[in-house]
PDB file of all heavy atoms in Angstrom:
ATOM      1  N   TYR A1461       0.812  -1.198  -0.016  1.00 81.00           N
ATOM      2  CA  TYR A1461      -0.016   0.023   0.031  1.00 81.00           C
ATOM      3  C   TYR A1461       0.848   1.219  -0.026  1.00 81.00           C
ATOM      4  O   TYR A1461       0.576   2.230  -0.708  1.00 81.00           O
ATOM      5  CB  TYR A1461      -0.892  -0.001   1.244  1.00 81.00           C
ATOM      6  CG  TYR A1461      -1.757  -1.230   1.408  1.00 81.00           C
ATOM      7  CD1 TYR A1461      -1.947  -1.806   2.620  1.00 81.00           C
ATOM      8  CD2 TYR A1461      -2.455  -1.789   0.286  1.00 81.00           C
ATOM      9  CE1 TYR A1461      -2.631  -2.945   2.742  1.00 81.00           C
ATOM     10  CE2 TYR A1461      -3.120  -2.947   0.481  1.00 81.00           C
ATOM     11  CZ  TYR A1461      -3.258  -3.569   1.689  1.00 81.00           C
ATOM     12  OH  TYR A1461      -3.971  -4.663   1.807  1.00 81.00           O
ATOM     13  N   VAL A1462       1.887   1.259   0.826  1.00 85.00           N
ATOM     14  CA  VAL A1462       2.824   2.409   0.867  1.00 85.00           C
ATOM     15  C   VAL A1462       3.474   2.605  -0.486  1.00 85.00           C
ATOM     16  O   VAL A1462       3.605   3.771  -0.980  1.00 85.00           O
ATOM     17  CB  VAL A1462       3.821   2.246   1.982  1.00 85.00           C
ATOM     18  CG1 VAL A1462       4.863   3.254   1.919  1.00 85.00           C
ATOM     19  CG2 VAL A1462       3.155   2.214   3.335  1.00 85.00           C
ATOM     20  N   ASP A1463       3.978   1.556  -1.138  1.00 86.00           N
ATOM     21  CA  ASP A1463       4.694   1.666  -2.345  1.00 86.00           C
ATOM     22  C   ASP A1463       3.720   2.126  -3.450  1.00 86.00           C
ATOM     23  O   ASP A1463       4.098   2.941  -4.295  1.00 86.00           O
ATOM     24  CB  ASP A1463       5.290   0.327  -2.749  1.00 86.00           C
ATOM     25  CG  ASP A1463       6.445  -0.056  -1.807  1.00 86.00           C
ATOM     26  OD1 ASP A1463       6.944   0.755  -1.173  1.00 86.00           O
ATOM     27  OD2 ASP A1463       6.823  -1.272  -1.783  1.00 86.00           O
ATOM     28  N   TRP A1464       2.535   1.631  -3.416  1.00 85.00           N
ATOM     29  CA  TRP A1464       1.551   2.081  -4.406  1.00 85.00           C
ATOM     30  C   TRP A1464       1.189   3.457  -4.204  1.00 85.00           C
ATOM     31  O   TRP A1464       1.030   4.302  -5.238  1.00 85.00           O
ATOM     32  CB  TRP A1464       0.264   1.082  -4.385  1.00 85.00           C
ATOM     33  CG  TRP A1464      -0.721   1.319  -5.508  1.00 85.00           C
ATOM     34  CD1 TRP A1464      -0.606   0.759  -6.784  1.00 85.00           C
ATOM     35  CD2 TRP A1464      -1.813   2.201  -5.479  1.00 85.00           C
ATOM     36  NE1 TRP A1464      -1.761   1.228  -7.582  1.00 85.00           N
ATOM     37  CE2 TRP A1464      -2.418   2.163  -6.818  1.00 85.00           C
ATOM     38  CE3 TRP A1464      -2.359   3.085  -4.588  1.00 85.00           C
ATOM     39  CZ2 TRP A1464      -3.544   2.870  -7.158  1.00 85.00           C
ATOM     40  CZ3 TRP A1464      -3.492   3.854  -4.912  1.00 85.00           C
ATOM     41  CH2 TRP A1464      -4.121   3.711  -6.167  1.00 85.00           C
ATOM     42  N   ARG A1465       0.948   3.860  -2.970  1.00 86.00           N
ATOM     43  CA  ARG A1465       0.497   5.307  -2.709  1.00 86.00           C
ATOM     44  C   ARG A1465       1.615   6.220  -3.095  1.00 86.00           C
ATOM     45  O   ARG A1465       1.336   7.413  -3.482  1.00 86.00           O
ATOM     46  CB  ARG A1465       0.091   5.437  -1.215  1.00 86.00           C
ATOM     47  CG  ARG A1465      -0.467   6.780  -0.979  1.00 86.00           C
ATOM     48  CD  ARG A1465      -1.690   7.099  -1.793  1.00 86.00           C
ATOM     49  NE  ARG A1465      -2.870   6.321  -1.421  1.00 86.00           N
ATOM     50  CZ  ARG A1465      -3.895   6.142  -2.265  1.00 86.00           C
ATOM     51  NH1 ARG A1465      -3.856   6.607  -3.464  1.00 86.00           N
ATOM     52  NH2 ARG A1465      -4.934   5.412  -1.885  1.00 86.00           N
ATOM     53  N   ALA A1466       2.888   5.768  -2.937  1.00 87.00           N
ATOM     54  CA  ALA A1466       3.995   6.729  -3.301  1.00 87.00           C
ATOM     55  C   ALA A1466       3.940   7.161  -4.796  1.00 87.00           C
ATOM     56  O   ALA A1466       4.323   8.250  -5.215  1.00 87.00           O
ATOM     57  CB  ALA A1466       5.295   6.051  -2.923  1.00 87.00           C
ATOM     58  N   LYS A1467       3.415   6.083  -5.592  1.00 89.00           N
ATOM     59  CA  LYS A1467       3.358   6.429  -6.985  1.00 89.00           C
ATOM     60  C   LYS A1467       1.955   7.008  -7.453  1.00 89.00           C
ATOM     61  O   LYS A1467       1.797   7.520  -8.498  1.00 89.00           O
ATOM     62  CB  LYS A1467       3.583   5.097  -7.780  1.00 89.00           C
ATOM     63  CG  LYS A1467       4.893   4.491  -7.562  1.00 89.00           C
ATOM     64  CD  LYS A1467       5.016   3.156  -8.271  1.00 89.00           C
ATOM     65  CE  LYS A1467       6.445   2.473  -7.948  1.00 89.00           C
ATOM     66  NZ  LYS A1467       6.406   1.040  -8.554  1.00 89.00           N
ATOM     67  N   ASN A1468       0.909   6.864  -6.498  1.00 87.00           N
ATOM     68  CA  ASN A1468      -0.381   7.345  -6.819  1.00 87.00           C
ATOM     69  C   ASN A1468      -0.887   8.082  -5.604  1.00 87.00           C
ATOM     70  O   ASN A1468      -1.729   7.680  -4.850  1.00 87.00           O
ATOM     71  CB  ASN A1468      -1.253   6.155  -7.083  1.00 87.00           C
ATOM     72  CG  ASN A1468      -0.872   5.283  -8.189  1.00 87.00           C
ATOM     73  OD1 ASN A1468      -1.211   5.407  -9.359  1.00 87.00           O
ATOM     74  ND2 ASN A1468      -0.076   4.216  -7.957  1.00 87.00           N
ATOM     75  N   PRO A1469      -0.370   9.335  -5.460  1.00 88.00           N
ATOM     76  CA  PRO A1469      -0.809  10.170  -4.269  1.00 88.00           C
ATOM     77  C   PRO A1469      -2.343  10.483  -4.226  1.00 88.00           C
ATOM     78  O   PRO A1469      -3.014  10.577  -5.337  1.00 88.00           O
ATOM     79  CB  PRO A1469      -0.052  11.426  -4.363  1.00 88.00           C
ATOM     80  CG  PRO A1469       0.377  11.470  -5.879  1.00 88.00           C
ATOM     81  CD  PRO A1469       0.544  10.040  -6.375  1.00 88.00           C
ATOM     82  N   SER A1470      -2.909  10.648  -3.078  1.00 85.00           N
ATOM     83  CA  SER A1470      -4.345  10.899  -2.954  1.00 85.00           C
ATOM     84  C   SER A1470      -4.464  11.666  -1.727  1.00 85.00           C
ATOM     85  O   SER A1470      -3.557  12.143  -1.095  1.00 85.00           O
ATOM     86  CB  SER A1470      -5.110   9.533  -2.834  1.00 85.00           C
ATOM     87  OG  SER A1470      -6.497   9.741  -2.719  1.00 85.00           O
ATOM     88  N   ASP A1471      -5.763  11.930  -1.334  1.00 83.00           N
ATOM     89  CA  ASP A1471      -6.102  12.732  -0.137  1.00 83.00           C
ATOM     90  C   ASP A1471      -6.301  11.843   1.025  1.00 83.00           C
ATOM     91  O   ASP A1471      -7.372  11.599   1.442  1.00 83.00           O
ATOM     92  CB  ASP A1471      -7.295  13.567  -0.403  1.00 83.00           C
ATOM     93  CG  ASP A1471      -7.686  14.496   0.770  1.00 83.00           C
ATOM     94  OD1 ASP A1471      -6.829  14.819   1.567  1.00 83.00           O
ATOM     95  OD2 ASP A1471      -8.821  14.919   0.848  1.00 83.00           O
ATOM     96  N   ASP A1472      -5.197  11.296   1.541  1.00 83.00           N
ATOM     97  CA  ASP A1472      -5.244  10.422   2.682  1.00 83.00           C
ATOM     98  C   ASP A1472      -4.052  10.631   3.540  1.00 83.00           C
ATOM     99  O   ASP A1472      -3.059  11.301   3.262  1.00 83.00           O
ATOM    100  CB  ASP A1472      -5.429   8.930   2.269  1.00 83.00           C
ATOM    101  CG  ASP A1472      -4.360   8.429   1.346  1.00 83.00           C
ATOM    102  OD1 ASP A1472      -3.156   8.835   1.530  1.00 83.00           O
ATOM    103  OD2 ASP A1472      -4.602   7.587   0.512  1.00 83.00           O
ATOM    104  N   ILE A1473      -4.065  10.016   4.727  1.00 84.00           N
ATOM    105  CA  ILE A1473      -2.926  10.143   5.702  1.00 84.00           C
ATOM    106  C   ILE A1473      -1.637   9.527   5.164  1.00 84.00           C
ATOM    107  O   ILE A1473      -0.527  10.178   5.400  1.00 84.00           O
ATOM    108  CB  ILE A1473      -3.287   9.369   7.052  1.00 84.00           C
ATOM    109  CG1 ILE A1473      -4.355  10.203   7.826  1.00 84.00           C
ATOM    110  CG2 ILE A1473      -2.023   9.357   7.977  1.00 84.00           C
ATOM    111  CD1 ILE A1473      -4.877   9.460   8.991  1.00 84.00           C
ATOM    112  N   MET A1474      -1.673   8.441   4.400  1.00 84.00           N
ATOM    113  CA  MET A1474      -0.444   7.865   3.863  1.00 84.00           C
ATOM    114  C   MET A1474       0.312   8.840   2.971  1.00 84.00           C
ATOM    115  O   MET A1474       1.496   8.978   3.016  1.00 84.00           O
ATOM    116  CB  MET A1474      -0.776   6.589   3.128  1.00 84.00           C
ATOM    117  CG  MET A1474       0.453   5.614   3.048  1.00 84.00           C
ATOM    118  SD  MET A1474       0.043   4.067   2.374  1.00 84.00           S
ATOM    119  CE  MET A1474      -0.944   3.285   3.620  1.00 84.00           C
ATOM    120  N   THR A1475      -0.474   9.529   2.145  1.00 89.00           N
ATOM    121  CA  THR A1475       0.137  10.528   1.240  1.00 89.00           C
ATOM    122  C   THR A1475       0.729  11.671   2.058  1.00 89.00           C
ATOM    123  O   THR A1475       1.826  12.209   1.729  1.00 89.00           O
ATOM    124  CB  THR A1475      -0.897  11.129   0.234  1.00 89.00           C
ATOM    125  OG1 THR A1475      -1.394   9.914  -0.549  1.00 89.00           O
ATOM    126  CG2 THR A1475      -0.337  12.034  -0.735  1.00 89.00           C
ATOM    127  N   GLU A1476       0.062  12.157   3.009  1.00 88.00           N
ATOM    128  CA  GLU A1476       0.566  13.199   3.922  1.00 88.00           C
ATOM    129  C   GLU A1476       1.767  12.781   4.585  1.00 88.00           C
ATOM    130  O   GLU A1476       2.742  13.533   4.647  1.00 88.00           O
ATOM    131  CB  GLU A1476      -0.571  13.634   4.932  1.00 88.00           C
ATOM    132  CG  GLU A1476      -1.793  14.344   4.436  1.00 88.00           C
ATOM    133  CD  GLU A1476      -2.496  15.121   5.391  1.00 88.00           C
ATOM    134  OE1 GLU A1476      -1.923  15.782   6.113  1.00 88.00           O
ATOM    135  OE2 GLU A1476      -3.745  15.006   5.434  1.00 88.00           O
ATOM    136  N   LEU A1477       1.852  11.537   5.082  1.00 88.00           N
ATOM    137  CA  LEU A1477       3.147  11.043   5.698  1.00 88.00           C
ATOM    138  C   LEU A1477       4.244  10.928   4.706  1.00 88.00           C
ATOM    139  O   LEU A1477       5.409  11.216   5.026  1.00 88.00           O
ATOM    140  CB  LEU A1477       2.873   9.709   6.424  1.00 88.00           C
ATOM    141  CG  LEU A1477       1.868   9.695   7.507  1.00 88.00           C
ATOM    142  CD1 LEU A1477       1.724   8.259   8.015  1.00 88.00           C
ATOM    143  CD2 LEU A1477       2.427  10.518   8.771  1.00 88.00           C
ATOM    144  N   LEU A1478       3.929  10.460   3.557  1.00 89.00           N
ATOM    145  CA  LEU A1478       4.970  10.375   2.499  1.00 89.00           C
ATOM    146  C   LEU A1478       5.593  11.826   2.073  1.00 89.00           C
ATOM    147  O   LEU A1478       6.734  11.860   1.808  1.00 89.00           O
ATOM    148  CB  LEU A1478       4.267   9.685   1.208  1.00 89.00           C
ATOM    149  CG  LEU A1478       4.193   8.204   1.293  1.00 89.00           C
ATOM    150  CD1 LEU A1478       3.155   7.755   0.232  1.00 89.00           C
ATOM    151  CD2 LEU A1478       5.429   7.445   1.216  1.00 89.00           C
ATOM    152  N   ASN A1479       4.836  12.783   2.191  1.00 90.00           N
ATOM    153  CA  ASN A1479       5.201  14.115   1.774  1.00 90.00           C
ATOM    154  C   ASN A1479       5.690  15.035   2.887  1.00 90.00           C
ATOM    155  O   ASN A1479       6.245  16.096   2.649  1.00 90.00           O
ATOM    156  CB  ASN A1479       4.089  14.851   1.003  1.00 90.00           C
ATOM    157  CG  ASN A1479       3.769  14.169  -0.372  1.00 90.00           C
ATOM    158  OD1 ASN A1479       4.738  13.590  -0.987  1.00 90.00           O
ATOM    159  ND2 ASN A1479       2.559  14.159  -0.709  1.00 90.00           N
ATOM    160  N   ALA A1480       5.412  14.619   4.059  1.00 89.00           N
ATOM    161  CA  ALA A1480       5.732  15.429   5.345  1.00 89.00           C
ATOM    162  C   ALA A1480       7.250  15.699   5.526  1.00 89.00           C
ATOM    163  O   ALA A1480       8.009  14.765   5.422  1.00 89.00           O
ATOM    164  CB  ALA A1480       5.090  14.877   6.561  1.00 89.00           C
ATOM    165  N   GLU A1481       7.567  16.938   5.732  1.00 90.00           N
ATOM    166  CA  GLU A1481       8.997  17.260   6.058  1.00 90.00           C
ATOM    167  C   GLU A1481       9.008  17.689   7.556  1.00 90.00           C
ATOM    168  O   GLU A1481       8.084  18.339   8.009  1.00 90.00           O
ATOM    169  CB  GLU A1481       9.484  18.381   5.189  1.00 90.00           C
ATOM    170  CG  GLU A1481       9.666  17.961   3.791  1.00 90.00           C
ATOM    171  CD  GLU A1481      10.447  18.977   2.906  1.00 90.00           C
ATOM    172  OE1 GLU A1481      10.681  20.046   3.501  1.00 90.00           O
ATOM    173  OE2 GLU A1481      10.712  18.785   1.743  1.00 90.00           O
ATOM    174  N   PHE A1482      10.115  17.319   8.208  1.00 90.00           N
ATOM    175  CA  PHE A1482      10.228  17.639   9.567  1.00 90.00           C
ATOM    176  C   PHE A1482      11.675  17.573  10.009  1.00 90.00           C
ATOM    177  O   PHE A1482      12.479  17.197   9.318  1.00 90.00           O
ATOM    178  CB  PHE A1482       9.469  16.570  10.508  1.00 90.00           C
ATOM    179  CG  PHE A1482      10.127  15.142  10.434  1.00 90.00           C
ATOM    180  CD1 PHE A1482      10.894  14.830  11.578  1.00 90.00           C
ATOM    181  CD2 PHE A1482       9.931  14.309   9.351  1.00 90.00           C
ATOM    182  CE1 PHE A1482      11.413  13.544  11.515  1.00 90.00           C
ATOM    183  CE2 PHE A1482      10.551  13.103   9.358  1.00 90.00           C
ATOM    184  CZ  PHE A1482      11.324  12.666  10.430  1.00 90.00           C
ATOM    185  N   THR A1483      11.955  18.209  11.157  1.00 91.00           N
ATOM    186  CA  THR A1483      13.371  18.263  11.732  1.00 91.00           C
ATOM    187  C   THR A1483      13.434  17.166  12.727  1.00 91.00           C
ATOM    188  O   THR A1483      12.718  17.155  13.784  1.00 91.00           O
ATOM    189  CB  THR A1483      13.632  19.616  12.372  1.00 91.00           C
ATOM    190  OG1 THR A1483      13.432  20.577  11.335  1.00 91.00           O
ATOM    191  CG2 THR A1483      15.070  19.625  12.882  1.00 91.00           C
ATOM    192  N   ASP A1484      14.315  16.146  12.548  1.00 89.00           N
ATOM    193  CA  ASP A1484      14.376  15.039  13.396  1.00 89.00           C
ATOM    194  C   ASP A1484      15.234  15.326  14.650  1.00 89.00           C
ATOM    195  O   ASP A1484      15.701  16.543  14.821  1.00 89.00           O
ATOM    196  CB  ASP A1484      14.950  13.809  12.675  1.00 89.00           C
ATOM    197  CG  ASP A1484      16.420  13.827  12.231  1.00 89.00           C
ATOM    198  OD1 ASP A1484      17.135  14.776  12.724  1.00 89.00           O
ATOM    199  OD2 ASP A1484      16.808  13.101  11.416  1.00 89.00           O
ATOM    200  N   GLU A1485      15.465  14.315  15.482  1.00 88.00           N
ATOM    201  CA  GLU A1485      16.114  14.583  16.744  1.00 88.00           C
ATOM    202  C   GLU A1485      17.590  15.022  16.612  1.00 88.00           C
ATOM    203  O   GLU A1485      18.180  15.466  17.537  1.00 88.00           O
ATOM    204  CB  GLU A1485      16.034  13.323  17.633  1.00 88.00           C
ATOM    205  CG  GLU A1485      16.839  12.074  17.171  1.00 88.00           C
ATOM    206  CD  GLU A1485      16.122  11.358  16.078  1.00 88.00           C
ATOM    207  OE1 GLU A1485      15.090  11.863  15.515  1.00 88.00           O
ATOM    208  OE2 GLU A1485      16.491  10.143  15.861  1.00 88.00           O
ATOM    209  N   THR A1486      18.230  14.778  15.488  1.00 89.00           N
ATOM    210  CA  THR A1486      19.572  15.189  15.184  1.00 89.00           C
ATOM    211  C   THR A1486      19.656  16.652  14.577  1.00 89.00           C
ATOM    212  O   THR A1486      20.686  17.153  14.376  1.00 89.00           O
ATOM    213  CB  THR A1486      20.343  14.295  14.158  1.00 89.00           C
ATOM    214  OG1 THR A1486      19.636  14.335  12.930  1.00 89.00           O
ATOM    215  CG2 THR A1486      20.108  12.867  14.715  1.00 89.00           C
ATOM    216  N   GLY A1487      18.514  17.223  14.342  1.00 91.00           N
ATOM    217  CA  GLY A1487      18.470  18.570  13.724  1.00 91.00           C
ATOM    218  C   GLY A1487      18.376  18.559  12.241  1.00 91.00           C
ATOM    219  O   GLY A1487      18.571  19.660  11.594  1.00 91.00           O
ATOM    220  N   THR A1488      18.278  17.383  11.671  1.00 92.00           N
ATOM    221  CA  THR A1488      18.322  17.179  10.255  1.00 92.00           C
ATOM    222  C   THR A1488      16.876  17.352   9.644  1.00 92.00           C
ATOM    223  O   THR A1488      15.928  16.839  10.199  1.00 92.00           O
ATOM    224  CB  THR A1488      18.778  15.809   9.724  1.00 92.00           C
ATOM    225  OG1 THR A1488      20.058  15.564  10.343  1.00 92.00           O
ATOM    226  CG2 THR A1488      18.853  15.655   8.266  1.00 92.00           C
ATOM    227  N   ARG A1489      16.742  18.172   8.610  1.00 94.00           N
ATOM    228  CA  ARG A1489      15.526  18.407   7.954  1.00 94.00           C
ATOM    229  C   ARG A1489      15.235  17.337   6.924  1.00 94.00           C
ATOM    230  O   ARG A1489      16.156  17.082   6.024  1.00 94.00           O
ATOM    231  CB  ARG A1489      15.518  19.781   7.317  1.00 94.00           C
ATOM    232  CG  ARG A1489      14.078  20.164   6.703  1.00 94.00           C
ATOM    233  CD  ARG A1489      13.114  20.475   7.767  1.00 94.00           C
ATOM    234  NE  ARG A1489      11.791  20.895   7.312  1.00 94.00           N
ATOM    235  CZ  ARG A1489      10.667  21.056   8.099  1.00 94.00           C
ATOM    236  NH1 ARG A1489      10.781  20.860   9.368  1.00 94.00           N
ATOM    237  NH2 ARG A1489       9.574  21.408   7.541  1.00 94.00           N
ATOM    238  N   ARG A1490      14.162  16.499   6.946  1.00 92.00           N
ATOM    239  CA  ARG A1490      14.058  15.315   6.078  1.00 92.00           C
ATOM    240  C   ARG A1490      12.574  14.921   6.075  1.00 92.00           C
ATOM    241  O   ARG A1490      11.721  15.445   6.675  1.00 92.00           O
ATOM    242  CB  ARG A1490      14.915  14.178   6.585  1.00 92.00           C
ATOM    243  CG  ARG A1490      14.548  13.598   7.961  1.00 92.00           C
ATOM    244  CD  ARG A1490      15.447  12.385   8.301  1.00 92.00           C
ATOM    245  NE  ARG A1490      15.135  11.818   9.615  1.00 92.00           N
ATOM    246  CZ  ARG A1490      14.283  10.810   9.760  1.00 92.00           C
ATOM    247  NH1 ARG A1490      13.592  10.413   8.761  1.00 92.00           N
ATOM    248  NH2 ARG A1490      14.080  10.226  10.963  1.00 92.00           N
ATOM    249  N   ARG A1491      12.386  13.869   5.194  1.00 91.00           N
ATOM    250  CA  ARG A1491      11.056  13.176   5.131  1.00 91.00           C
ATOM    251  C   ARG A1491      11.213  11.850   5.965  1.00 91.00           C
ATOM    252  O   ARG A1491      12.314  11.361   6.266  1.00 91.00           O
ATOM    253  CB  ARG A1491      10.620  12.905   3.782  1.00 91.00           C
ATOM    254  CG  ARG A1491      10.214  14.173   3.045  1.00 91.00           C
ATOM    255  CD  ARG A1491       9.728  13.955   1.639  1.00 91.00           C
ATOM    256  NE  ARG A1491       9.372  15.133   0.974  1.00 91.00           N
ATOM    257  CZ  ARG A1491       8.701  15.155  -0.284  1.00 91.00           C
ATOM    258  NH1 ARG A1491       8.573  14.004  -0.932  1.00 91.00           N
ATOM    259  NH2 ARG A1491       8.450  16.235  -0.814  1.00 91.00           N
ATOM    260  N   LEU A1492      10.129  11.237   6.289  1.00 89.00           N
ATOM    261  CA  LEU A1492      10.089   9.909   6.863  1.00 89.00           C
ATOM    262  C   LEU A1492      10.597   9.001   5.967  1.00 89.00           C
ATOM    263  O   LEU A1492      10.398   8.926   4.762  1.00 89.00           O
ATOM    264  CB  LEU A1492       8.560   9.556   7.269  1.00 89.00           C
ATOM    265  CG  LEU A1492       7.930  10.327   8.467  1.00 89.00           C
ATOM    266  CD1 LEU A1492       6.464   9.991   8.508  1.00 89.00           C
ATOM    267  CD2 LEU A1492       8.637   9.995   9.823  1.00 89.00           C
ATOM    268  N   THR A1493      11.373   7.934   6.564  1.00 88.00           N
ATOM    269  CA  THR A1493      11.865   6.806   5.682  1.00 88.00           C
ATOM    270  C   THR A1493      10.718   5.907   5.547  1.00 88.00           C
ATOM    271  O   THR A1493       9.611   5.896   6.160  1.00 88.00           O
ATOM    272  CB  THR A1493      12.981   6.052   6.475  1.00 88.00           C
ATOM    273  OG1 THR A1493      12.386   5.439   7.664  1.00 88.00           O
ATOM    274  CG2 THR A1493      14.082   6.946   6.853  1.00 88.00           C
ATOM    275  N   ARG A1494      10.865   4.974   4.502  1.00 87.00           N
ATOM    276  CA  ARG A1494       9.778   3.976   4.254  1.00 87.00           C
ATOM    277  C   ARG A1494       9.558   3.121   5.440  1.00 87.00           C
ATOM    278  O   ARG A1494       8.260   2.894   5.775  1.00 87.00           O
ATOM    279  CB  ARG A1494      10.315   3.140   3.073  1.00 87.00           C
ATOM    280  CG  ARG A1494       9.384   2.082   2.571  1.00 87.00           C
ATOM    281  CD  ARG A1494       9.850   1.383   1.293  1.00 87.00           C
ATOM    282  NE  ARG A1494       8.986   0.393   0.862  1.00 87.00           N
ATOM    283  CZ  ARG A1494       9.053  -0.930   1.177  1.00 87.00           C
ATOM    284  NH1 ARG A1494       9.952  -1.304   2.173  1.00 87.00           N
ATOM    285  NH2 ARG A1494       8.198  -1.905   0.663  1.00 87.00           N
ATOM    286  N   ASP A1495      10.582   2.740   6.144  1.00 86.00           N
ATOM    287  CA  ASP A1495      10.292   1.919   7.347  1.00 86.00           C
ATOM    288  C   ASP A1495       9.595   2.627   8.413  1.00 86.00           C
ATOM    289  O   ASP A1495       8.617   2.053   9.159  1.00 86.00           O
ATOM    290  CB  ASP A1495      11.681   1.384   7.926  1.00 86.00           C
ATOM    291  CG  ASP A1495      12.321   0.346   7.177  1.00 86.00           C
ATOM    292  OD1 ASP A1495      11.566  -0.356   6.248  1.00 86.00           O
ATOM    293  OD2 ASP A1495      13.468   0.050   7.345  1.00 86.00           O
ATOM    294  N   GLU A1496       9.827   3.938   8.597  1.00 87.00           N
ATOM    295  CA  GLU A1496       9.129   4.780   9.568  1.00 87.00           C
ATOM    296  C   GLU A1496       7.642   4.848   9.205  1.00 87.00           C
ATOM    297  O   GLU A1496       6.768   4.712  10.075  1.00 87.00           O
ATOM    298  CB  GLU A1496       9.702   6.112   9.672  1.00 87.00           C
ATOM    299  CG  GLU A1496      11.105   6.112  10.457  1.00 87.00           C
ATOM    300  CD  GLU A1496      11.759   7.483  10.380  1.00 87.00           C
ATOM    301  OE1 GLU A1496      11.613   8.261   9.361  1.00 87.00           O
ATOM    302  OE2 GLU A1496      12.483   7.871  11.459  1.00 87.00           O
ATOM    303  N   ILE A1497       7.394   5.102   7.968  1.00 87.00           N
ATOM    304  CA  ILE A1497       6.069   5.149   7.474  1.00 87.00           C
ATOM    305  C   ILE A1497       5.253   3.804   7.672  1.00 87.00           C
ATOM    306  O   ILE A1497       4.090   3.806   8.108  1.00 87.00           O
ATOM    307  CB  ILE A1497       5.961   5.602   6.022  1.00 87.00           C
ATOM    308  CG1 ILE A1497       6.430   7.069   5.831  1.00 87.00           C
ATOM    309  CG2 ILE A1497       4.477   5.430   5.449  1.00 87.00           C
ATOM    310  CD1 ILE A1497       6.578   7.546   4.481  1.00 87.00           C
ATOM    311  N   LEU A1498       5.956   2.703   7.476  1.00 86.00           N
ATOM    312  CA  LEU A1498       5.318   1.429   7.636  1.00 86.00           C
ATOM    313  C   LEU A1498       4.955   1.211   9.012  1.00 86.00           C
ATOM    314  O   LEU A1498       3.823   0.717   9.397  1.00 86.00           O
ATOM    315  CB  LEU A1498       6.325   0.312   7.228  1.00 86.00           C
ATOM    316  CG  LEU A1498       6.459   0.109   5.680  1.00 86.00           C
ATOM    317  CD1 LEU A1498       7.589  -0.861   5.477  1.00 86.00           C
ATOM    318  CD2 LEU A1498       5.132  -0.508   5.144  1.00 86.00           C
ATOM    319  N   ILE A1499       5.768   1.702   9.978  1.00 86.00           N
ATOM    320  CA  ILE A1499       5.474   1.530  11.394  1.00 86.00           C
ATOM    321  C   ILE A1499       4.439   2.391  11.760  1.00 86.00           C
ATOM    322  O   ILE A1499       3.446   2.084  12.555  1.00 86.00           O
ATOM    323  CB  ILE A1499       6.733   1.760  12.251  1.00 86.00           C
ATOM    324  CG1 ILE A1499       7.777   0.636  12.012  1.00 86.00           C
ATOM    325  CG2 ILE A1499       6.412   1.910  13.717  1.00 86.00           C
ATOM    326  CD1 ILE A1499       9.112   0.971  12.541  1.00 86.00           C
ATOM    327  N   PHE A1500       4.364   3.725  11.372  1.00 85.00           N
ATOM    328  CA  PHE A1500       3.352   4.620  11.708  1.00 85.00           C
ATOM    329  C   PHE A1500       1.956   4.110  11.219  1.00 85.00           C
ATOM    330  O   PHE A1500       0.980   4.137  12.009  1.00 85.00           O
ATOM    331  CB  PHE A1500       3.478   5.942  10.886  1.00 85.00           C
ATOM    332  CG  PHE A1500       4.269   7.002  11.630  1.00 85.00           C
ATOM    333  CD1 PHE A1500       5.386   6.740  12.363  1.00 85.00           C
ATOM    334  CD2 PHE A1500       3.853   8.340  11.705  1.00 85.00           C
ATOM    335  CE1 PHE A1500       6.115   7.656  13.113  1.00 85.00           C
ATOM    336  CE2 PHE A1500       4.572   9.290  12.325  1.00 85.00           C
ATOM    337  CZ  PHE A1500       5.663   8.982  12.985  1.00 85.00           C
TER     338      PHE A1500
END
């Protein structure tokens, strides 16, 4: 589902998580990894 949604974005939480940018605990600006999204 995650892999399919990455190629077919929609109006759902999975798409928002795939596109979300944030500053992690190391101070790095990035997006969630695939493994992190799977766990979420």
Side-chain angles (χ1 to χ4, degrees):
Y1461 307 135
V1462 172
D1463 293 343
W1464 188 86
R1465 186 57 76 201
K1467 299 175 183 176
N1468 301 274
S1470 182
D1471 183 20
D1472 57 34
I1473 290 176
M1474 202 176 289
T1475 300
E1476 290 198 45
L1477 291 175
L1478 284 162
N1479 295 324
E1481 291 190 357
F1482 68 102
T1483 303
D1484 68 15
E1485 68 277 16
T1486 69
T1488 304
R1489 189 72 180 171
R1490 65 179 179 89
R1491 292 184 177 183
L1492 290 167
T1493 67
R1494 181 173 179 271
D1495 286 346
E1496 287 173 329
I1497 292 173
L1498 285 169
I1499 292 169
F1500 266 47

